[in-house]
Each structure stands twice: as structure tokens, then as C-alpha cells.
């Protein structure tokens, strides 16, 4: 394992003022988002949409990396250059989603385990040769108090897969984004989310240590500690920020260079406000930044979908606005 290379890639991905754009939606997820806006979802429309994102002028000031899907990392811009080369020229590190999705966990109704370890060593070698320098694997954890979820079986199975994925990435000189997402769906309170997020992170770091993963060469992609989406009592911005940082401080070692949050269904503005509030707090040992998908893309996608040929520049301006707001939020300066 080349620890120097891993450390320098990970640090660049979460450099102060920068975050990561998640644009790695699977075909199914992309279709859902396009369908909702009346856009055909095929290889060419996905290419055009991702081209709009990747070539947006100015976003490189706020993005250290962009996560791509298998199809996208092999695609070309209209001018014939590879998307990967467009990103490298802008100084944005190309990344790749390598898990193959969350599947039902055997004997545990309502819970998922993320798959994709078989053949991963070979896939990583290929992705590195194409130009990927980091990867992503997302585990999903469901909270359901009535059904007593999550179970330990779910937490351990997902943590083990994340740790084996991370080890394989580091062997291949690829920085693993380790993403244990505690879903915000449900009626649970912020306190329950805090307890589950803590338990999840504790087990994830135990397993990363068991597998010998080099922590300065990873990026953690956690969910924020939030009230469940259907909980009548919604915690305010400051409470979420404090609960999230408190939980990370308990379970995330200080030698992890950065925590890049997912947005998980929060609106674009709320996701920015939460990140901003966390970055006004003292004594935080890691860079706290964003690795948002929907909270960055959704407003730009909406504009683009109105007229995919005519609205490219307008959509790119909206994308840049979101990137700038989140870049400022990594310094606690959004909205000032
Ligand atoms: P959201 O920010 O839309 O949750 O997406 C982030 C992501 O990459 C989920 O894996």
C-alpha cells in the first residue's frame, strides 16, 4: 500500500473550501429523477446531462472530486475528449461508484446489505487505468423502532463489506469513500438517529481497523444526525449540527482527513445550512465538507430538464451557485 499517494489524494478531495459532487446515480436512480421531470433516460441523455455537470465553468473552485458511474467514466464530451480528461484538466479528481447496490439482507426483513465485492480487485485495477483515483461504496441502514431496526446483523454485515472494499481500494492505490448512510426515512427522533449513527460508526471503524485500512487514506461519507423525515418534532439547524459533530467526535478517529456528508433527501438550502453551522464550531479535527448528490444537482437538473439543449448555461450557473454556497459552508461563511 502506498500510504503517501493515498494520503495526498484523500487530502486533495477534502481540501479546505472544496467538497465532492456525487453524480454516480445508477441507471435506475437516474431514470427516477429524469422521469419525474419528463426527460427520456437513455445513454445519450445521461451523457448530455453529465456533460452539463462536468463542463460547468467555475465549479473547480469548489469541487475536489466528482463521483462517476461506470457508464460515465467511459464517456466522451461533444468535442471528443474523455470526461476523465476534462475533469483532470480542471483539477477535479475523478472517482467511481464500485458497489453494485443494496440488496435484501437474508433472514432480516426490511434491511439491506450492499454487494459488489466479487471481482472488485479486477474492477478497481481497470478503473484506475481509466483514471479513477477514488471510489465510493454506500451502505444503507434503516431505522424502525417498532421492528427494532437496525439489527446488529445488518450493522456488522455492512461494516464488514465496507472494510473489505476499503482494503481492496487501498491496495489498488484508490482512496475509498466509506459511506454508511443512516436513512432519514421514518418517525424516529433525533436522539434515536444519534444513537444509531454512533453504533454504526463504532462498528465501521472497528472493522476498518481489523482489515488494516489506513485511515489518513480514506474519506468518510456520513449522514447527518437528523430527526426522521416523518417525526413531528423536527430539530433545528443548530441542534442537528451539534448532535452530528458530537457523534463524529465520539467515533471518528482524528487521523481521518475529512468527513464529506451526503444530503440524503434534505433540501439544497437546509443541507448547506447544516454544513455551515457545523463549520462554525470549534475544535473539529477533520475537514467537514459535502459529497452531495441531490442537494447540489436537483435545482440544476430542474432547469436543464425544461430545455436540455437551450438551458445548459442556465443550469450550469445554478450548479455553480450551489457549489459556491457549499464551498462557503465548509468555511462557515455561507449566507454571510
Ligand atoms: P445524496 O446527497 O442525494 O444523498 O447523494 C449522495 C450519495 O452519493 C448517496 O450515495
Amino acid at each position: 500500500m502506498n500510504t503517501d499517494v493515498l494520503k495526498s489524494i484523500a487530502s486533495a478531495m477534502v481540501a479546505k473550501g472544496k467538497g465532492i459532487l456525487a453524480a454516480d446515480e445508477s441507471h435506475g436512480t437516474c431514470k427516477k429523477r429524469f422521469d419525474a421531470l419528463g426527460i427520456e433516460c437513455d445513454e445519450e441523455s445521461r451523457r448530455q446531462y453529465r456533460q452539463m455537470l462536468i463542463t460547468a465553468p467555475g465549479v473547480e473552485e469548489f469541487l475536489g472530486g466528482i463521483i462517476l458511474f461506470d457508464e460515465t467514466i467511459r464517456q466522451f464530451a461533444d468535442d471528443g475528449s474523455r470526461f476523465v480528461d476534462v475533469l483532470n484538466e480542471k483539477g477535479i479528481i475523478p472517482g467511481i461508484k464500485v458497489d453494485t447496490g443494496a440488496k435484501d439482507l437474508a433472514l432480516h426483513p426490511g434491511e439491506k446489505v450492499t454487494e459488489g465485492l466479487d471481482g472488485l480487485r479486477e474492477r478497481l485495477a481497470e478503473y484506475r487505468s481509466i483514471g479513477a483515483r477514488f471510489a465510493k461504496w454506500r451502505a444503507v441502514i434503516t431505522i424502525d423502532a417498532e421492528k427494532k431496526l437496525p439489527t446488529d446483523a445488518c450493522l456488522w454485515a455492512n461494516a464488514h463489506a465496507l472494510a473489505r472494499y476499503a482494503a481492496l481500494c487501498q491496495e489498488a492505490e484508490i482512496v475509498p469513500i466509506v459511506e454508511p448512510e443512516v436513512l432519514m426515512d421514518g418517525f424516529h427522533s433525533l436522539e434515536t438517529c444519534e444513537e444509531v449513527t454512533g453504533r454504526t460508526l463504532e462498528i465501521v471503524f472497528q472493522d476498518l481497523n481489523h482489515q488494516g485500512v489506513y485511515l489518513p487514506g480514506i474519506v468518510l461519507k456520513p449522514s447527518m444526525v437528523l430527526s426522521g423525515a416523518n417525526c413531528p418534532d423536527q430539530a433545528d439547524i443548530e441542534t442537528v449540527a451539534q448532535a452530528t459533530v458530537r457523534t463524529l467526535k465520539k467515533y471518528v478517529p482524528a487521523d481521518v482527513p475529512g468527513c464529506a456528508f451526503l444530503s440524503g433527501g434534505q433540501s439544497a438550502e437546509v443541507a448547506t445550512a447544516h454544513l455551515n453551522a457545523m463549520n462554525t464550531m470549534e475544535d473539529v479535527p477533520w475537514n467537514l465538507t459535502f459529497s452531495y448528490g441531490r442537494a447540489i444537482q436537483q435545482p440544476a437538473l430542474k432547469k436543464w430538464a425544461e430545455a436540455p439543449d437551450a438551458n445548459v448555461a442556465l443550469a450550469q450557473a445554478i450548479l455553480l451557485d450551489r457549489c459556491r454556497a457549499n464551498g462557503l459552508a465548509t468555511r462557515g461563511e455561507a449566507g454571510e
Side-chain angles (χ1 to χ4, degrees), residues 99 101-108 110-117 137-142 150-166 178-181 199-208 210-211:
D99 68 68
K103 309 286 162 54
D104 290 342
L105 179 63
L107 309 183
H108 293 84
E111 300 198 290
K112 304 273 184 194
V113 63
T114 301
E115 295 189 348
L117 288 171
W137 179 289
R138 169 176 176 255
V140 293
I141 310 298
T142 301
T151 62
D152 281 347
C154 173
L155 296 181
W156 287 343
N158 277 294
H160 183 71
L162 275 168
R164 287 191 53 206
Y165 140 81
V178 173
E179 181 180 6
E181 175 174 4
R199 205 146 52 98
T200 302
L201 290 172
E202 185 175 22
I203 295 173
V204 165
F205 280 97
Q206 269 175 22
D207 264 325
L208 290 172
H210 284 158
Q211 297 301 323

Side-chain angles (χ1 to χ4, degrees), residues 22 24 33 67 136 138 179 181 221 262-265 291-295:
D24 59 322
R33 309 249 158 94
I67 318 171
K136 178 187 115 171
R138 169 176 176 255
E179 181 180 6
E181 175 174 4
K221 178 162 173 168
L262 59 96
S263 60
S291 176
Y292 297 158
R294 282 162 287 179

Side-chain angles (χ1 to χ4, degrees), residues 50 204 237:
R50 264 80 181 242
V204 165
I237 301 286

